[in-house]
Amino acid sequence: MSRFAEVVVLALHAEDVMGPLVRRGEFVPVQGLWGAGSFGVGWAAQFEKMRPRSGLLKHLESLPWPRPESVQVLIHDQDDDCFGLWMLHDGALVEIPLPRTQRFHAPAPATTEFPPDPGCLLRTDQGHELPEQTPAALRDPRPAW
């Protein structure tokens, strides 16, 4: 299933950690206008389909980050109004709620034939009608990332 998404990883002193992902062509390095010292070093990736991004957050969690408190993962799915933010808390990448946004989820599919849907992150302060939120018990429990 096609569904574009961009992922940016920011982390201090993590060049060696992200090196294998860069060498495999999964991420490309990005640098601030004033060099690596301006915000640390970042890496970006673009996904064109949903299946290849399944397990991404679990993989990033498993890496030996030299400064885990600095790890930030920004994800913008094609249906999102803005990037979402994930940070390491107790070894797990968790989505950090952003002011004036809410993630909306579709009901779980009848089968697991397709990869899980991440829902969409929408701004709640734009004056447009928001979708009805699916109750947590009816959402797909599989991680989308």
Side-chain angles (χ1 to χ4, degrees):
M1 172 181 274
S2 290
R3 186 157 164 177
F4 289 91
E6 293 118 2
V7 176
V8 176
V9 176
L10 301 172
L12 295 174
H13 313 298
E15 295 84 356
D16 291 341
V17 172
M18 289 297 291
L21 297 173
V22 170
R23 285 190 290 281
R24 287 194 304 256
E26 296 171 9
F27 280 83
V28 296
V30 294
Q31 191 168 303
L33 183 61
W34 298 281
S38 64
F39 66 84
V41 177
W43 298 267
Q46 182 173 6
F47 294 88
E48 296 177 10
K49 300 202 180 284
M50 290 177 68
R51 198 168 305 280
R53 63 192 196 189
S54 293
L56 175 66
L57 292 180
K58 283 289 180 205
H59 179 68
L60 293 174
E61 288 172 0
S62 74
L63 298 176
W65 300 103
R67 300 270 313 272
E69 75 280 2
S70 74
V71 176
Q72 299 171 64
V73 179
L74 304 164
I75 300 175
H76 182 263
D77 189 83
Q78 73 180 26
D79 295 331
D80 293 343
D81 285 344
C82 59
F83 276 86
L85 170 64
W86 281 255
M87 295 177 73
L88 280 171
H89 286 188
D90 299 323
L93 280 164
V94 296
E95 187 169 14
I96 306 301
L98 299 174
R100 299 180 181 168
T101 67
Q102 185 175 352
R103 184 164 301 280
F104 290 88
H105 299 273
T111 71
T112 59
E113 175 184 356
F114 296 105
D117 188 315
C120 56
L121 183 63
L122 300 178
R123 296 279 308 253
T124 59
D125 61 350
Q126 300 302 299
H128 53 77
E129 189 172 334
L130 297 169
E132 186 174 330
Q133 182 63 278
T134 300
L138 300 179
R139 297 178 196 166
D140 194 336
R142 300 173 298 158
W145 290 98

